[in-house]
């Protein structure tokens, strides 16, 4: 396992140290060649993990515990989770859950 494989380490810092570059230089290369900053990609991955966690709970017919999602997916607080949902899909997490259940479990 390399330093960049550890999810607890900042990938930009690890790559910068590995290649003797500044963090800012690596950030600029990251944005230039990948099109998104590392922060933007991390935010999107955290959002996708939250959606997967919700889907998993729906599949198991469990009640969705928003605080557990905040904790497991790396959100600082519930408002950060809500902001990401509104940013990416223009719905609150609760509205997303209602929408998802209406589509996947239509009543005859």
């Amino acid at each position: 396992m390399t330093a960049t494989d550890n999810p607890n380490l900042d990938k930009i810092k690890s790559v910068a140290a590995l290649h003797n570059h500044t963090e800012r230089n690596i950030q600029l290369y990251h944005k230039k060649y990948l099109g998104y900053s590392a922060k933007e990609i991390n935010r999107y991955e955290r959002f996708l993990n939250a959606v997967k966690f919700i889907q998993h709970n729906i599949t198991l017919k469990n009640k969705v515990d928003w605080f557990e999602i905040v904790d497991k997916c790396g959100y600082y607080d519930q408002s950060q989770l809500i902001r990401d949902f509104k940013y990416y899909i223009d719905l609150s997490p609760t509205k997303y859950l209602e929408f998802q259940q209406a589509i996947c479990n239509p009543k005859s």
Side-chain angles (χ1 to χ4, degrees):
M1 182 159 88
T2 65
T4 56
D5 293 333
N6 188 339
N8 297 325
L9 293 177
D10 182 1
K11 291 179 176 112
I12 297 294
K13 276 186 183 178
S14 299
V15 171
L18 188 66
H19 296 289
N20 292 328
H21 285 280
T22 64
E23 288 179 45
R24 183 65 183 144
N25 197 20
I26 299 300
Q27 289 171 344
L28 292 172
Y29 280 130
H30 193 284
K31 175 101 175 175
K32 179 180 179 182
Y33 292 108
L34 299 178
Y36 298 98
S37 70
K39 185 177 178 180
E40 291 170 313
I41 291 172
N42 288 338
R43 180 182 182 191
Y44 185 65
E45 287 175 351
R46 184 178 57 209
F47 169 73
L48 288 179
N49 285 336
V51 170
K52 288 177 189 174
F53 199 81
I54 291 169
Q55 291 302 117
H56 181 70
N57 280 334
I58 290 172
T59 303
L60 297 176
K61 300 199 187 299
N62 293 342
K63 186 175 186 290
V64 176
D65 181 0
W66 298 112
F67 293 109
E68 183 180 15
I69 293 171
V70 166
D71 182 51
K72 298 273 186 199
C73 297
Y75 284 98
Y76 180 73
D77 59 11
Q78 194 171 5
S79 65
Q80 191 181 32
L81 172 72
I82 293 168
R83 270 194 307 276
D84 277 2
F85 266 83
K86 290 195 179 220
Y87 180 81
Y88 288 112
I89 59 175
D90 201 28
L91 292 172
S92 71
T94 305
K95 291 288 183 192
Y96 168 77
L97 185 60
E98 292 170 4
F99 181 70
Q100 188 69 13
Q101 288 175 336
I103 289 175
C104 294
N105 300 324
K107 296 178 180 161
S108 303

